[in-house]
Amino acid sequence: MSKPYYITTAIDYTNAPPHIGHAYEKVLADVMTRFQRLNGREVYFLTGVDQHGQKVQKSAEKVGLSPQDFVNGVTQHFTALWEKLNVRFDGWAATTDPKHKRVVQAMLQKLHDCGQLYKASHTGFYSVRQEQFLTDKERGPDGQFGEEWGEVVELAEENWYFKLSEHVEWLKGYIRTHPDFIFPSHRANDVLNALEGKALDLCISRPIERLSWGIPLPFDEKFVNFVWFDALTNYISFAGYLAHECGNDDLPDFSKLWPADAEIIGKDILVPAHAVYWPIMLHALGFSDDQIPKLIVHGWWNVKGAKMSKSTGNVIDPSALADTFTPDGLRYYLMRDIATGYDADFSEERILNAYNKELGGGLGNLLNRTLKMANNYRSGVIKRGDFDDAMCESLRQATAEAEAAYPEKMESWSIHQGIEEAWKIVTAANGFIELTQPFKLAKDEAQSARLDAVLHHLAEAILHVAILLNPIMPVMSEKICDQLGWSLPSGFKLAELKWGILPDGHQLGEGVPLFPRVEIA
Ligand code: MSP
């Protein structure tokens, strides 16, 4: 038995409600989860929320709530969205969960005990307004710190440091010898470039008087843990790392689950957090090279070429889009209009087109026409018969070719190309109607066997499309199967997908439009 496919995503900051970028990442993970299951693999899918840190503490202060009440409220927006979009995870990683806190503290203690942490004093320029130390990077062309930093004072502060620099040579070697560590592989160069120059250690604490909303260091309670150290640990804490000694016995068996087969993150958090801090943390904790997780780095959704931001007012709300285009319509758009690893531009025109023309006009119309003809000419009963000709054969072949290509595209994160494969069947089936003209065959008794073959081929081809699109549009897929009078058996595997699923004499259902046209003024 191979180990379960362990898939996780970045955990979302709970200082603001989710936008379309958050939705994209979680849908991508959910699609991969459903695909792996369809392909016969056991899967564990973990996602969650990043609830500590300065951003949250400040946002809570602004609205006069305690940080915990504040994050509880924002977290609900995320969980409600995942429910709505049918993002179905097996584990929920919330960093204020006491189970997680215990593991973070045990991990910090372990690093402390093996001499990986030390206390030191740092003198530097500190922005009172932004509550952070500044470096030369923050200086303007005139050598001064700009107005955005407010009052800047020279300050000496004691903190705890992690001996990151000690492991940088190991990391460089690891990256060079493990081309599959980061997908897409060209991103590995960004990491190697960032590792050029003098390596510094990492400050992993914040004095409690400056930041109280975090996990206290177990060996020095005057400090809380730096939020990234806390957040990155979620990938192991909720997978059962140190579960026994932390009393987390209800979590998965770590030895069976780890390492993660896919940690899905956006390109902005690759360097330094996921590609430098994270593998080095694991290495320092004694994880071997084959225990380092794989990173899947996706691009960004922008709006008219610009970054989404509250101040520009161009933040796209995924929940409203799901109301307009159905949750599956939004999932389809988010998967078909981007190539994993690259950026995409959100466009209302494109989502409208994807929904009305591709889903409604292409797939929905094909299903509707087929069911209407089968119900009109044959009371919805499919006969297989033994009629065959080149047109039928060509539709079977197009289906077989698409099915052969689909798994490899999906497995390698080329979801948009996996969708294209399914679409080749839709196009072939629509072309098949034009060529065979079943409405004419129905008028000629002598063509009866041919009409039966045509209707059977159409229904069978649509069923195959529904199965291939199941990971992307689980609800619509089920509805299509339902209209075809068939239900996907639980545990159905792609390997069972062969021509001839619908038996002779099969009764099809009624056609009900699945993608009612959306009009936008
Ligand atoms: N909390 C950190 C991650 C900690 S992981 C141990 C964080 N949170 S975030 O809310 O800012 O971002 C969550 C995820 O959403 C990240 O992977 C980020 O790259 C992704 N996205 C944020 N904006 C995005 C787009 N506009 N488009 C696509 N994904 C984007 O970073």
Side-chain angles (χ1 to χ4, degrees):
M1 254 306 261
S2 62
K3 89 181 223 346
Y5 186 89
Y6 176 30
I7 180 167
T8 81
T9 71
I11 48 174
D12 299 313
Y13 282 132
T14 45
N15 60 322
H19 56 58
I20 197 169
H22 298 119
Y24 162 65
E25 184 175 277
K26 273 58 189 178
V27 169
L28 177 61
D30 184 68
V31 167
M32 185 50 90
T33 297
R34 290 171 189 269
F35 163 73
Q36 291 291 344
R37 289 196 178 124
L38 187 61
N39 208 20
R41 189 102 185 245
E42 192 190 334
V43 184
Y44 191 85
F45 171 18
L46 175 79
T47 192
V49 278
D50 190 354
Q51 298 172 311
H52 287 130
Q54 196 95 54
K55 282 189 191 182
V56 166
Q57 186 173 305
K58 278 191 172 175
S59 305
E61 270 164 20
K62 250 192 219 163
V63 292
L65 284 177
S66 74
Q68 188 66 61
D69 285 345
F70 178 78
V71 295
N72 287 349
V74 180
T75 298
Q76 274 177 18
H77 289 281
F78 283 91
T79 48
L81 182 64
W82 307 150
E83 179 72 27
K84 187 172 193 169
L85 297 184
N86 286 301
V87 170
R88 295 276 177 265
F89 39 84
D90 304 291
W92 180 248
T95 52
T96 54
D97 187 329
K99 287 183 223 169
H100 172 74
K101 286 192 190 174
R102 291 195 287 268
V103 180
V104 169
Q105 291 193 323
M107 179 225 25
L108 287 166
Q109 191 65 54
K110 237 173 138 108
L111 288 174
H112 183 259
D113 293 349
C114 62
Q116 285 292 319
L117 306 180
Y118 63 91
K119 202 173 186 180
S121 176
H122 169 77
T123 307
F125 292 100
Y126 183 81
S127 155
V128 179
R129 181 197 286 170
Q130 300 296 342
E131 298 181 34
Q132 71 176 78
F133 275 98
L134 305 176
T135 65
D136 285 343
K137 271 192 268 170
E138 275 86 42
R139 290 182 191 272
D142 58 354
Q144 302 299 310
F145 296 112
E147 267 178 28
E148 69 275 23
W149 301 109
E151 186 191 357
V152 175
V153 293
E154 211 171 353
L155 199 79
E157 189 175 276
E158 271 207 312
N159 265 306
W160 284 88
Y161 288 80
F162 169 49
K163 293 183 180 168
L164 192 82
S165 58
E166 211 172 72
H167 306 283
V168 166
E169 283 311 309
W170 164 79
L171 181 62
K172 286 183 187 167
Y174 178 81
I175 294 174
R176 290 197 183 106
T177 51
H178 293 79
D180 59 348
F181 169 44
I182 301 172
F183 173 89
S185 57
H186 67 85
R187 293 242 177 242
N189 290 330
D190 302 347
V191 185
L192 289 169
N193 289 339
L195 292 173
E196 287 301 319
K198 191 177 164 351
L200 297 176
D201 285 343
L202 177 68
C203 177
I204 58 134
S205 68
R206 299 291 180 265
I208 211 142
E209 60 275 9
R210 194 141 74 72
L211 174 71
S212 56
W213 186 235
I215 301 180
L217 302 188
F219 43 82
D220 194 342
E221 302 240 333
K222 290 201 287 300
F223 295 89
V224 299
N225 192 203
F226 167 48
V227 69
W228 271 107
F229 237 58
D230 163 357
L232 289 162
T233 308
N234 94 87
Y235 302 127
I236 52 175
S237 64
F238 290 97
Y241 178 61
L242 303 181
H244 194 60
E245 61 186 271
C246 292
N248 293 342
D249 293 311
D250 54 337
L251 289 176
D253 180 344
F254 190 64
S255 65
K256 295 212 174 106
L257 210 52
W258 192 256
D261 299 273
E263 282 180 7
I264 306 181
I265 56 166
K267 61 180 187 178
D268 56 315
I269 55 173
L270 176 68
V271 181
H274 282 83
V276 181
Y277 302 163
W278 183 223
I280 289 185
M281 279 165 76
L282 293 170
H283 179 70
L285 284 166
F287 285 65
S288 62
D289 284 10
D290 55 10
Q291 295 280 298
I292 302 296
K294 306 259 178 297
L295 304 177
I296 307 299
V297 188
H298 62 74
W300 268 40
W301 282 89
N302 297 318
V303 180
K304 297 199 174 85
K307 199 175 157 179
M308 262 185 290
S309 84
K310 257 203 267 175
S311 51
T312 331
N314 63 351
V315 176
I316 306 292
D317 173 14
S319 186
L321 287 173
D323 290 339
T324 308
F325 297 103
T326 73
D328 274 4
L330 174 61
R331 287 173 64 110
Y332 173 75
Y333 170 72
L334 288 176
M335 292 295 105
R336 60 91 60 214
D337 231 27
I338 194 168
T340 314
Y342 297 87
D343 289 354
D345 214 61
F346 173 78
S347 142
E348 194 168 74
E349 205 179 312
R350 288 182 68 84
I351 188 170
L352 192 66
N353 193 60
Y355 177 85
N356 280 342
K357 294 220 171 104
E358 294 171 18
L359 294 178
L363 176 60
N365 196 26
L366 170 67
L367 174 68
N368 242 297
R369 280 210 283 176
T370 300
L371 290 174
K372 214 172 248 164
M373 292 190 292
N375 280 307
N376 285 348
Y377 311 145
R378 292 291 186 263
S379 307
V381 177
I382 298 239
K383 293 208 202 92
R384 288 177 67 168
D386 34 358
F387 178 90
D388 202 5
D389 66 2
M391 288 186 263
C392 290
E393 199 197 329
S394 137
L395 180 58
R396 291 199 302 273
Q397 198 171 333
T399 307
E401 280 170 12
E403 270 159 21
Y406 169 88
E408 202 269 322
K409 307 265 157 104
M410 297 293 285
E411 184 75 56
S412 59
W413 297 94
S414 215
I415 313 294
H416 67 298
Q417 290 184 330
I419 293 176
E420 274 170 24
E421 293 304 329
W423 230 256
K424 286 182 187 164
I425 309 178
V426 175
T427 308
N430 272 321
F432 181 75
I433 298 184
E434 300 318 312
L435 282 175
T436 57
Q437 308 223 313
F439 24 90
K440 284 198 182 145
L441 301 179
K443 292 186 186 132
D444 183 355
E445 190 52 37
Q447 298 285 354
S448 180
R450 190 173 194 181
L451 178 62
D452 280 328
V454 166
L455 294 173
H456 165 256
H457 273 68
L458 284 170
E460 179 80 22
I462 297 169
L463 183 62
H464 288 236
V465 174
I467 294 171
L468 297 189
L469 290 180
N470 184 274
I472 293 117
M473 300 194 292
V475 175
M476 290 302 174
S477 163
E478 212 171 282
K479 285 188 177 168
I480 295 172
C481 290
D482 203 45
Q483 294 194 15
L484 290 170
W486 191 79
S487 63
L488 192 66
S490 82
F492 181 91
K493 305 281 177 286
L494 268 184
E496 299 163 50
L497 187 56
K498 303 255 158 54
W499 190 266
I501 295 179
L502 298 177
D504 189 32
H506 176 79
Q507 174 72 56
L508 298 172
E510 288 290 323
V512 183
L514 289 178
F515 308 100
R517 214 181 149 72
V518 170
E519 303 288 349
I520 291 184

